[in-house]
Amino acid sequence: MHKRRLGKTNFEVSIIGFGGIPIQKVSKEEAIELIMTANKQGINFIDTARGYGKSEELIGYGIEKCGRDKFIIATKSPVRDYEGMKKEIETSLKALRTDFIDLYQLHLVRTEEQYKMVMSENGALRALKEAKSKGLIKEIGITSHDVSILGKAIETGEFATIQFPYSPVERQGEKLFERANKLDIGVIIMKPVAGGAIKNVTLSLRFIIENPNISVVIPGMDKINQVIENSSVGKDVKPLTDEERTVLMKEAEELGSEFCRRCGYCAPCPQGIDIPTQFVLEGYYLRYDLKDWAKERYQKLQYKASDCIECGQCEPKCPYNLPIRQMLKRVSKNLGDD
């Protein structure tokens, strides 16, 4: 597995890391097997979060089985205040079954108000800096879906890494990555297949690691074959051919910009609607000529797009500012709910 230096952390990380969102869906035994497979395939960087259900806990079991020295562990919390972050760090340490965490990140800083809060005297950054001075964490990072927020953050000198979405369909971060590289700040890439919307997974990963400003990309994985296939990209690094690039860019163009990345931040819906699933099934209906199959699956859902009462609670939580209520109406129309 090829490795790159994660900015000023000086961590040598596998260019393909392990994204910890989907592992929360598997059993303890399956989680251990996934982490052991990742280790065998040369993956040494694992990213998880307090907000990923049982992800930290399950990854902790796997790390314990393989050995703590085999991995560079990154986690994160959306808590914005000092006291809250102190508690989050303690919880992460226990869940991950470790005495220290290599990289702790401020998670999904979305607004200027949130940024000012975390950076304030009573903000979460202060708690992270104290934890670092005590050896509980080694480095501090920040994640966001907002280029301007990370653009400010990297100029402060407070952060060793940033985490941001990047794929053939989301390229707004390229200038940010260049600047981060000049400042010796590690760049971690999330949403490398746009939340599952991009079907040419291997091509998308190869496209991302072609960018020399990228340190590591973290596709989410919950199956052994995914670990093996994704890690292979980091073992045999080769540029895309013209034909492969054409295929990938055609898919990106067809996706457009108004699509769900399946990040799940819109949940929970008060009406019980699994919002990302509505859009996944619509995608099968519209893009993959699986109309009957998609409609059949959709009709079996307990709560469908037509159950939306337009309360709007989901939309402020979407990091992509999608018009979810309008999109759900479209799903209902396309999949025959009317």
Side-chain angles (χ1 to χ4, degrees), residues 4-265:
R4 290 181 182 172
R5 179 173 164 273
L6 187 63
K8 64 182 72 174
T9 69
N10 283 322
F11 298 148
E12 291 291 326
V13 296
S14 53
I15 56 176
I16 303 296
F18 187 97
I21 292 181
I23 200 173
Q24 61 187 289
K25 299 182 292 186
V26 309
S27 68
K28 175 182 174 181
E29 292 72 25
E30 290 171 322
I32 291 172
E33 187 177 5
L34 283 165
I35 299 302
M36 291 180 68
T37 302
N39 176 45
K40 291 176 183 176
Q41 295 299 318
I43 293 175
N44 75 343
F45 183 84
I46 297 177
D47 179 87
T48 181
R50 291 293 311 119
Y52 295 168
K54 294 176 64 179
S55 176
E56 283 186 332
E57 178 184 346
L58 293 170
I59 287 170
Y61 290 125
I63 290 170
E64 186 177 54
K65 185 75 172 178
C66 291
R68 178 64 181 87
D69 62 325
K70 299 294 195 301
F71 297 104
I72 293 163
I73 306 171
T75 193
K76 47 196 179 289
S77 168
V79 168
R80 309 303 182 202
D81 66 290
Y82 170 74
E83 291 294 341
M85 183 59 83
K86 283 177 66 176
K87 294 177 182 177
E88 290 286 83
I89 295 167
E90 292 176 8
T91 303
S92 291
L93 288 166
K94 291 177 182 176
L96 288 163
R97 308 172 81 82
T98 182
D99 295 328
F100 69 94
I101 292 165
D102 298 286
L103 174 65
Y104 212 107
Q105 304 157 97
L106 296 170
H107 192 188
L108 199 64
V109 180
R110 291 173 45 120
T111 65
E112 184 66 27
E113 182 181 5
Q114 290 178 358
Y115 179 73
K116 287 179 179 178
M117 177 59 194
V118 298
M119 301 296 285
S120 70
E121 173 137 7
N122 194 39
L125 178 61
R126 177 183 156 206
L128 291 175
K129 291 169 77 171
E130 287 185 4
K132 183 179 178 182
S133 70
K134 295 175 182 177
L136 299 177
I137 65 176
K138 291 187 175 181
E139 301 289 350
I140 299 170
I142 181 170
T143 88
S144 181
H145 290 74
D146 189 301
V147 171
S148 63
I149 286 176
L150 291 187
K152 290 179 182 180
I154 62 177
E155 301 295 338
T156 66
E158 298 284 7
F159 303 102
T161 67
I162 57 172
Q163 187 174 144
F164 193 77
Y166 184 53
S167 71
V169 78
E170 292 187 87
R171 303 181 63 173
Q172 67 273 24
E174 290 179 341
K175 292 294 184 182
L176 172 70
F177 305 154
E178 287 181 18
R179 179 60 179 162
N181 187 35
K182 288 180 180 178
L183 295 171
D184 202 22
I185 292 172
V187 176
I188 303 165
I189 297 304
M190 58 174 156
K191 307 291 186 298
V193 289
I198 295 175
K199 299 306 172 187
N200 285 295
V201 176
T202 296
L203 295 186
S204 188
L205 293 177
R206 286 171 57 197
F207 165 84
I208 292 167
I209 63 175
E210 279 184 345
N211 189 323
N213 299 311
I214 303 304
S215 308
V216 55
V217 53
I218 49 170
M221 295 178 263
D222 60 0
K223 295 180 175 59
I224 297 297
N225 69 297
Q226 293 172 346
V227 177
I228 294 171
E229 290 170 9
N230 291 342
S231 62
S232 68
V233 176
K235 295 178 182 179
D236 183 20
V237 178
K238 52 188 177 183
L240 295 171
T241 65
D242 290 342
E243 183 179 355
E244 289 170 334
R245 196 177 304 277
T246 298
V247 168
L248 188 59
M249 294 309 165
K250 183 174 185 292
E251 182 179 8
E253 183 180 352
E254 289 174 350
L255 281 172
S257 59
E258 191 176 287
F259 66 94
C260 175
R261 280 78 166 177
R262 290 194 281 178
C263 65
Y265 291 123

